[in-house]
Amino acid sequence: KMTRNFHDFYRQHLIRSKYRNQKRPILINNWEATYFDFNTEKLLDIAKLASQYGIEMLVMDDGWFGHRNDDSTSLGDWFVNENKLPGGLKYLVDEVNKLGLKFGIWMEPEMISPDSELYKEHPDWAIAVKGRTGTLSRNQYVLDFSRKDVRDCIYEKIRAILNSANIEYVKWDMNRQLSDLGSMDLPADRQGELYHRYVLGVYELQERLLAEFPHLLLENCSGGGARFDPGMLYYSPQIWCSDDTDAIERLKIQEGTMLLYPLSTMGAHVSDCPNHALGRVTPFETRGHVALAGTFGYELDITKIPEEDRQQIPAQTAMYHKYNDLIRRGDYWRIASYLENGSYDCYMVASKDKKEALITYVQVLSRPNFHSRRVRLKGLSPENRYRIEETGEVLGGDVLMQAGMLIAPLWGDYRSRLIHLTEA
């Protein structure tokens, strides 16, 4: 009950984006597809194929700016690398739009690389203790967002990029912790205010951004789930859940996230296999079912995945459109926890009027000579009768919640099922 109270509170009273009550576009992000190795031609190849399979947005991730071909340079230099993107952003975005896709972009506005034009001009803009060498993490420093001159400079750079082309989504990343907490702009007796002033500065910058670009879909991110914070939901209706995109890992990650945060806020993608984080191979269908619990998208090179997987994408995008209203608005119920039992996972979303429900069942580990598993549902009306779409069977809500339903074992590890109930 606490979980559902938090979900309702955040959805109704904290998130203010126009996307709060809207389906988010199904996106494909090029990060795990290409990392830093891409150009206009490669991105358009991905976009052309994606547009044929029901995907609605191309997101260009890290590596499009300055002279950045790895993670050691150029943060703060928010201008287009035309060696990679000849013709600049406008040409690329216009070509993507002609394919019927929206366009999104990755940025990390709070960071600065020592190897950047901005740092050479303003080394004092990095957070550091005066008189000491700052600590690098991920080859970068953190900009002092407690300072208005720093925020103004970065805002103008972002503003110029967003005005240069039809950009409808920004993934705002923040990939290192704050350390060496010192500001060159605060007197000694006020250095302790830096952390608080920094966060207020982030809020102020995102407020300005959304005031000028109210159409923008903003997704906050910090190495994944580190930006999950109610305050950030006031600015972004969704937050990237984790760079660990393996579907089985995600069962644990998403269970913890959904304890407090609405499913509509949880960035979740179908990624490539073997998974880039740990090498696990999971069925494409299972990856889709697990990502369906969140905002839903793809993190892979659609031009290179197996044809068998690619042919499942239209059914997955149709699945998203069929169920997303229910998932985004409904009540979330936890049935079983893979985190606790080590064997299987099960959760469901029921509509507020209790007339519809979607159950997600993931068999993580198969068992020999195992007949079936009894799953007792929650959140239904005991008086209602429900039709199981997959079988046509009609059962009472009281039966489904008290006696439960039997789920036959699936063949193999990492297999999943969706079960859709409608009022009979």
Side-chain angles (χ1 to χ4, degrees):
K1 179 63 176 174
M2 180 197 74
T3 288
R4 291 183 291 282
N5 285 344
F6 270 114
H7 289 191
D8 287 344
F9 175 71
Y10 289 166
R11 286 182 297 202
Q12 295 170 20
H13 302 292
L14 186 59
I15 300 170
R16 58 177 177 149
S17 165
K18 74 169 192 173
Y19 290 95
R20 175 178 63 179
N21 297 317
Q22 293 181 17
K23 286 181 187 173
R24 317 291 157 75
I26 300 171
L27 63 83
I28 186 165
N29 186 300
N30 75 301
W31 178 240
E32 289 190 17
T34 65
Y35 294 100
F36 295 102
D37 185 17
F38 64 87
N39 54 26
T40 298
E41 183 180 3
K42 177 59 183 177
L43 294 178
L44 290 178
D45 284 346
I46 292 172
K48 286 171 187 173
L49 200 54
S51 69
Q52 300 170 25
Y53 286 82
I55 294 170
E56 300 164 326
M57 176 185 284
L58 174 72
V59 174
M60 179 176 62
D61 211 282
D62 195 356
W64 57 267
F65 53 93
H67 59 277
R68 188 167 169 94
N69 293 303
D70 56 42
D71 69 358
S72 66
T73 75
S74 301
L75 292 172
D77 293 344
W78 301 112
F79 52 84
V80 177
N81 180 348
E82 296 212 19
N83 291 324
K84 285 186 176 181
L85 305 177
L89 274 180
K90 180 162 176 51
Y91 172 76
L92 171 62
V93 176
D94 286 351
E95 292 301 305
V96 169
N97 289 165
K98 287 176 188 176
L99 295 167
L101 298 184
K102 299 175 185 291
F103 186 86
I105 197 168
W106 176 97
M107 293 183 178
E108 196 172 3
E110 298 161 68
M111 299 296 155
I112 187 169
S113 302
D115 181 12
S116 66
E117 292 182 16
L118 186 65
Y119 187 77
K120 290 168 189 170
E121 294 171 13
H122 299 285
D124 59 312
W125 283 10
I127 288 176
V129 176
K130 190 172 183 178
R132 298 184 185 178
T133 302
T135 302
L136 280 173
S137 178
R138 292 176 59 104
N139 302 304
Q140 62 198 54
Y141 295 119
V142 184
L143 282 167
D144 184 357
F145 265 32
S146 73
R147 295 176 56 161
K148 187 175 185 303
D149 54 349
V150 175
R151 297 196 305 272
D152 287 347
C153 174
I154 296 301
Y155 182 75
E156 288 305 318
K157 291 174 182 286
I158 296 173
R159 183 174 182 269
I161 290 294
L162 295 182
N163 279 325
S164 71
N166 184 29
I167 297 168
E168 300 182 62
Y169 163 104
V170 167
K171 182 178 180 179
W172 179 304
D173 213 342
M174 194 276 194
N175 274 321
R176 64 154 287 180
Q177 75 284 2
L178 274 64
S179 62
D180 307 285
L181 289 177
S183 171
M184 302 302 168
D185 200 46
L186 289 172
D189 62 344
R190 296 179 62 192
Q191 289 291 323
E193 300 174 14
L194 176 58
Y195 230 141
H196 184 220
R197 290 183 176 277
Y198 177 91
V199 175
L200 295 180
V202 174
Y203 289 166
E204 191 262 353
L205 199 56
Q206 294 197 357
E207 181 71 41
R208 288 172 67 185
L209 185 68
L210 294 169
E212 184 166 357
F213 302 95
H215 69 282
L216 200 66
L217 174 55
L218 180 63
E219 177 173 291
N220 268 296
C221 174
S222 180
R227 264 274 153 94
F228 264 99
D229 176 272
M232 301 315 297
L233 290 178
Y234 187 69
Y235 303 98
S236 65
Q238 60 193 56
I239 299 169
W240 179 234
C241 191
S242 176
D243 283 344
D244 183 351
T245 57
D246 173 73
I248 305 306
E249 288 280 291
R250 275 300 187 106
L251 294 175
K252 298 179 285 187
I253 293 167
Q254 293 180 186
E255 179 184 352
T257 305
M258 291 187 285
L259 199 63
L260 290 178
Y261 293 95
L263 281 61
S264 63
T265 68
M266 187 171 65
H269 294 169
V270 178
S271 62
D272 200 8
C273 275
N275 178 265
H276 292 198
L278 45 70
R280 181 183 282 129
V281 176
T282 307
F284 200 78
E285 180 182 47
T286 302
R287 287 177 259 162
H289 288 166
V290 174
L292 187 65
T295 56
F296 197 76
Y298 292 88
E299 192 91 19
L300 45 74
D301 187 345
I302 193 173
T303 71
K304 292 182 177 179
I305 62 174
E307 184 64 22
E308 180 184 355
D309 290 352
R310 187 159 46 240
Q311 292 305 321
Q312 293 184 56
I313 293 177
Q316 289 187 345
T317 58
M319 172 184 73
Y320 167 81
H321 287 296
K322 179 177 180 179
Y323 296 126
N324 184 255
D325 284 346
L326 171 62
I327 291 168
R328 198 177 67 252
R329 300 170 181 164
D331 287 331
Y332 159 77
W333 299 84
R334 172 58 55 176
I335 308 298
S337 167
Y338 164 57
L339 189 62
E340 293 179 1
N341 63 45
S343 179
Y344 75 106
D345 206 62
C346 189
Y347 50 90
M348 64 181 282
V349 178
S351 61
K352 292 287 186 183
D353 61 9
K354 301 183 185 300
K355 292 182 178 181
E356 183 184 13
L358 182 69
I359 299 96
T360 303
Y361 175 87
V362 182
Q363 175 183 280
V364 179
L365 296 177
S366 187
R367 290 172 57 181
N369 195 29
F370 184 65
H371 182 265
S372 60
R373 178 171 278 121
R374 185 181 302 276
V375 173
R376 292 180 174 85
L377 305 185
K378 300 178 182 179
L380 304 177
S381 168
E383 294 80 23
N384 285 2
R385 293 177 63 76
Y386 295 91
R387 177 173 284 104
I388 302 172
E389 182 180 303
E390 293 72 24
T391 64
E393 185 179 9
V394 175
L395 295 170
D398 52 352
V399 172
L400 289 166
M401 291 191 291
Q402 300 301 323
M405 61 192 305
L406 296 177
I407 298 181
L410 307 173
W411 185 249
D413 295 338
Y414 317 137
R415 301 289 169 171
S416 61
R417 277 187 64 188
L418 293 181
I419 301 165
H420 185 216
L421 306 181
T422 54
E423 189 178 41

